[in-house]
Amino acid sequence: MESKVSEGGLNVTLTIRLLMHGKEVGSIIGKKGETVKKMREESGARINISEGNCPERIVTITGPTDAIFKAFAMIAYKFEEDIINSMSNSTATSKPPVTLRLVVPASQCGSLIGKGGSKIKEIRESTGAQVQVAGDMLPNSTERAVTISGTPDAIIQCVKQICVVMLESPPKGATIPYRPKPASTPVIFAGGQAYTIQGQYAIPHPDLTKLHQLAMQQTPFTPLGQTTPAFPGLDATPPASTHELTIPNDLIGCIIGRQGTKINEIRQMSGAQIKIANATEGSSERQITITGTPANISLAQYLINARLTSEVTGMGAL
């Protein structure tokens, strides 16, 4: 496993991000984390795996280039081993290639493709690996997926060449990193019960069930300017109460959303009035005031927390 890059003795610290499905991540982590521990020790690279109950996870590999190539080689061989194992009980005769997906800032993809596709063609021909750069950016980011498939050896050669290109043309401007979103149906409402999906199982979620039942008793959206929705059979306007939250400045953006889309969504779904105070000088927090019925408030709080959780876990180990 000699992985010194001959191109001018490259040995700088690099970070490479990989996008993987849950099953692939499980294979790399191994039983009780043994596989990833071994990969870290033997390659000398830092390998971080983003948290989260997402169908996709980001694996970040950082270290000197030779450590990164060792880690890549170990991942590629591990995936090949998984393919061989899965074939031992199937009738397929041809072995499918190993596939890895890199996440690359879009501003570097032009250099990777080259004029008229010349660079990517050269990489394909000299390594024997298939390389494809996605036409679209990954959701809510300025990064694109670069899919590499082939034999482990072809993949390792291909990654080396991609690293050289990335080092020669650093990203331009700010990069918004791709953060996989949690599965789009983390909560399912059925028969008045709320379930969260964990793995292949639906697990009843008591807090959400209560909120859901309260929410279902209300008229869904109140036109602005009217009183808060009423519970049938109760006093027409349940007493409105107020609840205050403080949120760190750097997380307020994920609650407000682009041009206020997220906060409006939360207002609509919860039926509560939500006011976000302006930033005060010298304070690292913002005050959020939620007004409405107790049910509105608890639903609004739940939705705000869900946004924060997806933001924090989406960042993973970055």
Side-chain angles (χ1 to χ4, degrees):
M1 278 293 315
E2 268 308 295
S3 51
K4 287 276 175 283
V5 182
S6 52
E7 292 84 354
L10 262 185
N11 204 5
V12 290
T13 300
L14 238 172
T15 296
I16 300 272
R17 286 153 49 82
L18 282 169
L19 190 53
M20 291 190 191
H21 294 299
K23 196 172 161 195
E24 297 170 324
V25 170
S27 159
I28 282 183
I29 294 174
K31 275 204 181 91
K32 296 184 183 166
E34 280 165 16
T35 311
V36 73
K37 185 172 170 236
K38 187 172 167 223
M39 284 181 178
R40 286 180 179 130
E41 285 169 1
E42 291 188 15
S43 68
R46 277 174 48 200
I47 303 175
N48 283 327
I49 296 164
S50 70
E51 288 299 321
N53 52 346
C54 307
E56 294 183 316
R57 308 270 284 276
I58 295 276
V59 177
T60 309
I61 305 175
T62 309
T65 42
D66 54 352
I68 284 185
F69 300 146
K70 275 186 195 149
F72 255 96
M74 293 173 84
I75 290 171
Y77 284 117
K78 179 74 182 88
F79 282 177
E80 185 182 50
E81 192 185 304
D82 294 344
I83 290 171
I84 293 167
N85 290 342
S86 68
M87 283 182 67
S88 60
N89 39 22
S90 87
T91 52
T93 46
S94 63
K95 192 171 68 171
V98 173
T99 301
L100 290 178
R101 288 180 299 162
L102 303 184
V103 182
V104 176
S107 58
Q108 291 177 296
C109 288
S111 314
L112 191 55
I113 295 166
K115 246 199 192 102
S118 56
K119 187 69 197 169
I120 200 159
K121 183 166 175 255
E122 181 194 311
I123 294 176
R124 284 183 187 132
E125 286 172 359
S126 64
T127 63
Q130 274 302 315
V131 190
Q132 277 168 326
V133 178
D136 296 325
M137 293 193 208
L138 289 157
N140 306 320
S141 77
T142 56
E143 295 192 303
R144 292 189 192 184
V146 176
T147 307
I148 309 172
S149 54
T151 63
D153 292 337
I155 286 178
I156 298 156
Q157 291 311 318
C158 184
V159 168
K160 285 183 185 180
Q161 297 212 20
I162 290 174
C163 286
V164 172
V165 174
M166 288 169 74
L167 287 167
E168 285 171 354
S169 51
K172 297 170 196 67
T175 297
I176 302 168
Y178 172 56
R179 294 181 188 145
K181 282 265 174 288
S184 52
T185 53
V187 179
I188 287 181
F189 295 114
Q193 266 272 31
Y195 296 91
T196 45
I197 301 299
Q198 294 180 2
Q200 296 148 352
Y201 305 101
I203 293 165
H205 196 303
D207 307 348
L208 282 180
T209 300
K210 267 202 312 263
L211 289 175
H212 179 57
Q213 286 165 347
L214 288 169
M216 290 312 284
Q217 293 168 357
Q218 304 179 11
T219 50
F221 298 150
T222 39
L224 287 171
Q226 287 191 11
T227 51
T228 44
F231 290 101
L234 288 178
D235 183 30
T237 51
S241 49
T242 300
H243 183 83
E244 293 194 336
L245 291 171
T246 46
I247 303 283
N249 272 341
D250 51 354
L251 289 175
I252 200 82
C254 78
I255 290 167
I256 297 174
R258 193 172 286 158
Q259 295 175 330
T261 47
K262 289 292 171 223
I263 192 78
N264 284 339
E265 218 173 81
I266 295 174
R267 284 182 181 123
Q268 272 203 316
M269 285 169 79
S270 66
Q273 291 178 356
I274 304 169
K275 288 195 176 77
I276 298 177
N278 290 332
T280 48
E281 258 187 66
S283 164
S284 63
E285 295 185 321
R286 297 274 282 277
Q287 196 79 20
I288 295 185
T289 310
I290 308 172
T291 313
T293 63
N296 296 147
I297 290 175
S298 45
L299 196 48
Q301 272 182 283
Y302 166 71
L303 293 165
I304 287 172
N305 284 332
R307 285 291 309 150
L308 289 174
T309 311
S310 74
E311 181 72 8
V312 174
T313 53
M315 287 169 74
L318 282 184

